Amino acid sequence: MKYITIPKELMTISTRDKQGIALTYALIRNQIIDNSLKASYPISFLAVDSGLSESSIKRYLDKLDENRLITIDHKKGSGEYPYNVFHFPELKEGEYSVIYPDILFDSTLSPKLRGLLLLIKLNCIAGTNHLTYGTKEKLAEILHIGKNQLTQYLNELASKGYVRLIDKTLIITNDSFPLYLTENVSNTLFKTIYDYCLSKDTVPPYKQVDERGEDKNLTMIAAQYPDEESLRGALNKRCPTLPKNVTLAYFCQALRGMKPNQETKEYDYIID
């Protein structure tokens, strides 16, 4: 399945309308068809796909160009109308988040809500779809949205099933935001645990990977439960209830027949 990358640097642009800028950037980047990191997208088409006005898009393009997130070549073309070619810098590992482009064209969401989901993803803990925050005021500050407006947006997204709020954690639950791209046992089992936690209204754990990109707790779980079915059965049997602060270390102990330490916390990752 095709995916696109969106840079965390979008969050550093000095403007109140990061939602529109993020959506504009992602839609254009979705037009890249080869390794050239170039895309062409008429503003009139971009306005239709985004639901944004052409004047707003032009302002957003100026901001993206100003911050060197894109470079714009203005072309005259052979016909009556000019067009733009957009050049993107190469993004390095750890500098971006990954999404599937379906969400960009979701007509059930306003442009601001689609853009907000992108901003939330950019602030999620690496390898997860959740963002733990200290206060609603701080979350509004991070996302550069007024607190009252943000509350309204999140309520709408939650009512439509795109996000969930558990304790002080905001979790994206839409399938356009994958937890991983590589299919392997470790990733599959991690998602199984992640989804199980959500079914129990518990904030899922996150990985602590070593230099090989592996989490030791997942490795030990995989040694005993090599597929989703066996792991789901074990979760239902051995972990019918979950503590508030759950970790992969907790699951590793519980699933391997050890008495789990419910106070174990790998480390805090909270925006405060």
Side-chain angles (χ1 to χ4, degrees), residues 8 97 117-132 143 170-172 177 194 269 271:
K8 297 184 182 299
S97 293
L117 285 170
L118 299 180
L119 298 183
I120 294 170
K121 177 61 179 178
L122 289 173
N123 284 280
C124 284
I125 300 169
T128 77
N129 280 332
H130 64 261
L131 163 60
T132 300
L143 298 174
L170 174 58
I171 305 170
I172 300 175
F177 299 84
Y194 199 95
Y269 197 115
I271 294 177

Side-chain angles (χ1 to χ4, degrees), residues 119-161:
L119 298 183
I120 294 170
K121 177 61 179 178
L122 289 173
N123 284 280
C124 284
I125 300 169
T128 77
N129 280 332
H130 64 261
L131 163 60
T132 300
Y133 55 89
T135 64
K136 279 285 184 69
E137 289 80 7
K138 185 61 180 180
L139 181 60
E141 179 184 335
I142 291 295
L143 298 174
H144 293 266
I145 301 171
K147 179 186 173 183
N148 292 337
Q149 191 69 67
L150 178 60
T151 298
Q152 178 184 330
Y153 289 153
L154 293 180
N155 286 341
E156 184 174 349
L157 286 171
S159 70
K160 293 181 175 181

Side-chain angles (χ1 to χ4, degrees), residues 195-237:
D195 291 344
Y196 184 76
C197 289
L198 293 180
S199 75
K200 296 292 185 179
D201 290 321
T202 299
V203 177
Y206 44 92
K207 301 177 186 178
Q208 283 188 299
V209 298
D210 56 24
E211 63 278 0
R212 296 176 297 176
E214 298 177 357
D215 182 289
K216 64 179 182 181
N217 292 300
L218 279 174
T219 299
M220 287 188 283
I221 292 171
Q224 192 162 339
Y225 305 97
D227 56 66
E228 298 173 69
E229 184 177 358
S230 62
L231 178 57
R232 278 195 295 266
L235 286 169
N236 287 321
K237 180 179 179 180

